[in-house]
């Protein structure tokens, strides 16, 4: 059988190692634990890019809270690029009266989170904030308030630590710039 390369290393340039990511997550976990101590908190992971981040972040937190997930899709991923977003898997928990922290892997144009904020606000949470591991300010189309962020990155395409290229590379133990073929 032909030996298979794990991935095309020449397509990947490491930006953040697991050590760097873990250090940053440790800081974020502490800050969020301090800020939300004594409050009724729901952490909402935006599927699927935030999963590794959400797991590691919540493991670093020292307060009780609930976890739920939501999944959104962009029509722009299909034929026409309208930037319209819709929910493909909704929350199971009610967030009315709760303090809500949305956890995202990367905020790019802000279209997804702009939509999500508007949608979740109608459910009357006590507060609604955003935590993202990566932030691409240069690509912003919709203004979104990022309350907690891991790293600012320039306008490049990245994979790893939950982020994908065509659903692959999420499992990489680092974040890398990816040269799309
Ligand atoms: P936005 O709506 O443009 O802010 O896009 C956010 C979503 O696009 C993220 O949740 C990711 O799924 C995806 N995305 C944006 N930039 C990247 C990237 O560089 N690598 C992988 N996924 C990305
Ligand atoms: Mg994606």
């Amino acid at each position: 059988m032909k030996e298979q390369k794990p991935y095309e290393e020449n397509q990947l340039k490491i930006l953040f190692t697991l050590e760097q990511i873990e250090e940053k997550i440790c800081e974020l976990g502490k800050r969020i634990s301090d800020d939300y101590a004594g409050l009724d908190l729901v952490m909402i992971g935006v599927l699927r890019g935030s999963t590794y981040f959400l797991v590691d972040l919540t493991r670093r937190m020292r307060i009780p809270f609930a976890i739920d997930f939501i999944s959104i899709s962009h029509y722009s991923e299909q034929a026409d690029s309208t930037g319209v977003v819709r929910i493909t898997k909704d929350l199971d928990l009610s967030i009315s009266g709760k303090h809500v922290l949305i956890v995202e892997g990367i905020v790019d144009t802000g279209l997804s989170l702009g939509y999500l904020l508007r949608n979740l606000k109608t459910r009357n949470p006590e507060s609604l904030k955003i935590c993202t591991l990566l932030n691409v300010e240069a690509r912003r189309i919709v203004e979104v308030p990022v309350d907690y962020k891991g790293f600012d990155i320039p306008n490049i395409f990245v994979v790893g630590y939950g982020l994908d290229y065509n659903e692959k590379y999420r499992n990489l133990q680092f974040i890398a710039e990816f040269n799309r073929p």
Side-chain angles (χ1 to χ4, degrees), residues 55-84:
V55 167
D56 285 347
L57 177 65
T58 53
R59 278 200 291 219
R60 293 294 184 176
M61 289 170 61
R62 292 291 173 264
I63 53 169
F65 53 87
I67 296 177
D68 204 350
F69 294 95
I70 198 161
S71 189
I72 50 186
S73 88
H74 318 254
Y75 287 110
S76 54
E77 279 167 9
Q78 281 126 50
D80 62 314
S81 175
T82 56
V84 179

Side-chain angles (χ1 to χ4, degrees), residues 132-145:
T132 184
L133 182 60
L134 301 178
N135 183 46
V136 196
E137 204 66 49
R139 291 257 306 164
R140 210 63 110 243
I141 294 171
V142 173
E143 230 11 87
V144 287

Side-chain angles (χ1 to χ4, degrees), residues 74 104 106-113 139 156-159 163-164:
H74 318 254
E104 189 37 302
I106 184 166
V107 183
D108 194 35
T109 64
L111 282 166
S112 320
L113 276 187
R139 291 257 306 164
I156 51 176
F157 191 82
V158 295
V159 294
L163 299 173
D164 71 304

Side-chain angles (χ1 to χ4, degrees), residues 44-129:
I44 296 181
V46 183
L47 295 172
R48 289 175 293 275
S50 74
T51 47
Y52 289 76
F53 178 41
L54 180 93
V55 167
D56 285 347
L57 177 65
T58 53
R59 278 200 291 219
R60 293 294 184 176
M61 289 170 61
R62 292 291 173 264
I63 53 169
F65 53 87
I67 296 177
D68 204 350
F69 294 95
I70 198 161
S71 189
I72 50 186
S73 88
H74 318 254
Y75 287 110
S76 54
E77 279 167 9
Q78 281 126 50
D80 62 314
S81 175
T82 56
V84 179
V85 182
R86 72 191 166 94
I87 293 177
T88 54
K89 184 241 169 266
D90 207 340
L91 299 174
D92 292 315
L93 304 177
S94 163
I95 56 166
S96 172
K98 311 274 172 149
H99 292 272
V100 173
L101 185 57
I102 303 173
V103 179
E104 189 37 302
I106 184 166
V107 183
D108 194 35
T109 64
L111 282 166
S112 320
L113 276 187
Y115 167 81
L116 210 53
L117 282 175
R118 266 183 285 121
N119 183 290
L120 296 183
K121 260 179 203 157
T122 66
R123 307 182 195 193
N124 302 313
E126 182 65 32
S127 71
L128 185 57
K129 290 192 171 177

